[in-house]
Amino acid sequence: MPMTWKRIKKNVLYISLLLILLLCMQSCRQVEPGVMPTSPDLSQYYDSITRLDSLAVVYMNIDTVKSREYATRAVSIANRIRSDEYLIRALNDKGLVLFVNHADSAAIFLNRALMLTDATAFKEARGNIFYNIAQLHFEANDYKNAIILLDSSIKSGFRYGQPVAIAVSLNSLANIYQATEDSAMAKKIYDSSMLIAAKYSLPKEMGVALGNLAQFSNNTEKSRSMLKRAIQLLKTDKGTEEERAKFLVNLGLLQETPDSAISYYREAIELAEKCRIHIAMIGAYNNLAYVYLGKHDLKTATECILDRAIPEAKKINNYDWLSTLYDSYADILIAKNAFDEAVVWLRKSTVSRAVSDKMIAKKQLRLINAILELKNKNLIIAESEQQ
C-alpha cells in the first residue's frame, strides 16, 4: 500500500520529535552531576586536580587550613570523574597534608590510596605511599614497621621506575639509624641516597642527602662547603624551604666568628618567618640568643628568647621547645646574676618537659591506635572477600 504524503509528514514529525527528545536527554546527561564528561572536558579536570595537589603541598607548612581545603577539593574532583589514577594521587597528597597536624587522620587517607593501588592497575604511586605511611610509624617511634615500609617503598620504586621514592626512602631510613645512634649505618645509607639522586639528576634529593652527610665530616670547612652546596641545590626546587632553613641553622653552628653565625641565623629566621616554618625559626632564635650571650649582649639575647622564640613556641603549643627555651632563659638570668629568678625558670622548664612527654606519648598512642584500627579493618575486608 503506497504511503500518502500525509502519512510521510506524520512519520517525519515522529522522527523529529524522537531526535529532539534524544538530544534533550543527552544534554541533561552532560550536566548531570557524577556522570563522566567527554574526553576534552576530562583534561580540564586532570589539570585542576594537579594544580590543587600542588597548592596543597606548597601551603602545607604555611597555611594548614588552606592546604587541607585544596587537598579536599582535589579528592572531591577525582571522585566525581571516577579516575582511579588521580584519586590515588589526591588521597596520597591529602594524607601528606594531614600529617602536619592530624597524623591519625592521615593514616586513613594513605591507607585508602594504598588499597586503591592494590585493586587497580595504577601502581606507580605505591613507593611514595609506602614512604608516607612509614613516616607515620616513625612519628610513633615504631621504627621496626617504619623500616619494613621504607623497604617496600624502595622495592616499589625500583619496580615501577620511581627514583624519587627510592632516594627519599633511603634518606628516611638513614634518619632512623641516626635516631637509634647507629651513625656508621646512617652514613652508608645517606651515601646511597646521594648516589641515586645524582644518577637521576634529582636536585632536591641530592641537597637533602648532601646536607645530612655534612654532619659526618671531621673537617669543619668541608662540612660548611657541603651545607652551602646543599642549600644551592635545594634553591632550584620548590617546596624546599624547611630543609634550607634547617641547613642554614646548621651552618650557623659551624661558624668560627659570632658575626658570621648571626648572619646565617638571621637568614634562617627570615626564610622561616616568610614560610611559617615554626620549628626552624624557634631553633634559630634560641641559637642566636646564645651567640649574643657570648658577646655579653644580654638585652638582645633576652629579646630573642622572651620576645621571639617563646611566643612562637606557645603559638604552636610546643612544650618540648618551651622546656628548652625556659632553660635557655635561665642561662641568661644566671649571666645577669639573677639566680633566684633563674631557679623559677628552671622549674618552669621541668614542668614543660613533663607536659611535653605526656603530649608526645598521647599523640603516639593515638597514632598507633589509628594504624592498628586500619589494619584490623583491612583484615576483616580481606577475610570477607575470601569467603
Side-chain angles (χ1 to χ4, degrees):
M1 181 178 174
M3 189 176 287
T4 62
W5 175 243
K6 185 176 180 180
R7 191 170 180 180
I8 291 172
K9 287 199 294 183
K10 191 176 181 180
N11 285 345
V12 169
L13 179 62
Y14 284 148
I15 293 168
S16 298
L17 288 171
L18 184 61
L19 286 171
I20 291 169
L21 181 61
L22 287 169
L23 285 169
C24 287
M25 289 174 67
Q26 180 65 24
S27 176
C28 289
R29 248 198 306 272
Q30 287 176 351
V31 297
E32 187 180 3
V35 175
M36 287 284 287
T38 57
S39 295
D41 291 332
L42 278 178
S43 63
Q44 296 176 5
Y45 285 110
Y46 295 155
D47 290 343
S48 294
I49 294 168
T50 301
R51 186 167 59 254
L52 287 166
D53 279 340
S54 298
L55 287 168
V57 173
V58 167
Y59 280 94
M60 191 166 61
N61 293 306
I62 301 173
D63 188 334
T64 54
V65 174
K66 188 177 287 188
S67 178
R68 287 199 302 272
E69 287 176 358
Y70 287 135
T72 301
R73 284 168 59 189
V75 171
S76 177
I77 295 172
N79 267 318
R80 183 182 172 193
I81 65 172
R82 301 169 189 169
S83 169
D84 290 334
E85 181 183 4
Y86 280 83
L87 181 57
I88 289 167
R89 287 170 50 181
L91 287 169
N92 185 40
D93 285 335
K94 178 77 180 282
L96 183 64
V97 164
L98 286 170
F99 182 75
V100 177
N101 289 321
H102 304 277
D104 46 341
S105 298
I108 297 169
F109 288 92
L110 293 172
N111 186 67
R112 280 182 62 193
L114 187 61
M115 289 181 69
L116 201 53
T117 64
D118 287 333
T120 65
F122 302 105
K123 310 292 186 186
E124 289 80 3
R126 286 177 69 82
N128 191 249
I129 298 168
F130 276 128
Y131 168 79
N132 288 335
I133 297 174
Q135 300 313 299
L136 295 177
H137 287 269
F138 183 77
E139 186 79 2
N141 284 344
D142 181 9
Y143 295 148
K144 179 182 176 182
N145 281 310
I147 289 170
I148 292 169
L149 286 159
L150 289 170
D151 182 61
S152 296
S153 175
I154 292 164
K155 288 176 180 175
S156 292
F158 278 113
R159 181 177 298 171
Y160 301 111
Q162 299 294 315
V164 173
I166 300 167
V168 296
S169 295
L170 285 168
N171 188 72
S172 186
L173 192 59
N175 290 343
I176 291 175
Y177 281 104
Q178 187 71 350
T180 55
E181 299 182 359
D182 189 346
S183 297
M185 181 60 76
K187 184 180 183 304
K188 287 179 183 177
I189 301 174
Y190 283 133
D191 280 327
S192 298
S193 179
M194 183 65 186
L195 287 171
I196 292 290
K199 180 179 179 181
Y200 292 96
S201 301
L202 305 172
K204 178 181 178 181
E205 288 69 28
M206 285 173 64
V208 171
L210 188 62
N212 284 321
L213 281 167
Q215 65 188 299
F216 297 100
S217 176
N218 294 322
N219 185 310
T220 303
E221 185 56 43
K222 184 179 179 181
S223 294
R224 286 198 290 257
S225 177
M226 291 171 75
L227 283 167
K228 288 176 183 177
R229 174 62 179 151
I231 291 167
Q232 289 304 313
L233 284 166
L234 291 169
K235 281 182 177 179
T236 65
D237 208 343
K238 293 179 180 178
T240 61
E241 292 81 9
E242 190 169 0
E243 290 86 355
R244 282 163 51 197
K246 172 189 168 184
F247 293 152
L248 282 167
V249 171
N250 290 351
L251 261 174
L253 287 167
L254 294 174
Q255 298 308 303
E256 295 175 354
T257 64
D259 289 343
S260 296
I262 289 169
S263 176
Y264 281 112
Y265 290 142
R266 291 290 184 192
E267 189 177 349
I269 289 165
E270 184 181 354
L271 179 60
E273 285 180 341
K274 179 182 176 182
C275 301
R276 300 184 192 178
I277 308 167
H278 304 286
I279 300 300
M281 191 191 310
I282 294 166
Y285 270 123
N286 186 63
N287 292 356
L288 190 60
Y290 275 99
V291 175
Y292 282 115
L293 185 60
K295 291 175 62 116
H296 306 291
D297 185 349
L298 302 183
K299 181 177 180 294
T300 307
T302 300
E303 288 172 358
C304 288
I305 299 296
L306 281 188
D307 300 338
R308 300 294 183 176
I310 288 177
E312 194 67 27
K314 285 182 176 179
K315 188 190 301 181
I316 61 172
N317 208 30
N318 192 314
Y319 282 88
D320 181 30
W321 260 112
L322 278 172
S323 176
T324 299
L325 294 169
Y326 292 155
D327 187 77
S328 298
Y329 186 55
D331 286 341
I332 296 171
L333 289 169
I334 290 169
K336 292 180 178 180
N337 294 324
F339 299 111
D340 290 343
E341 197 176 349
V343 170
V344 172
W345 284 85
L346 285 171
R347 285 175 182 156
K348 290 178 71 171
S349 174
T350 302
V351 171
S352 293
R353 175 61 57 204
V355 173
S356 173
D357 290 343
K358 191 177 291 186
M359 287 177 67
I360 291 170
K362 283 179 67 176
K363 179 182 178 182
Q364 289 173 346
L365 183 61
R366 192 168 62 245
L367 184 52
I368 289 170
N369 285 337
I371 292 167
L372 288 174
E373 186 179 343
L374 284 173
K375 284 184 178 179
N376 290 335
K377 285 181 180 177
N378 291 345
L379 186 60
I380 292 168
I381 293 168
E383 287 175 350
S384 65
E385 288 176 349
Q386 290 172 3
Q387 291 174 355

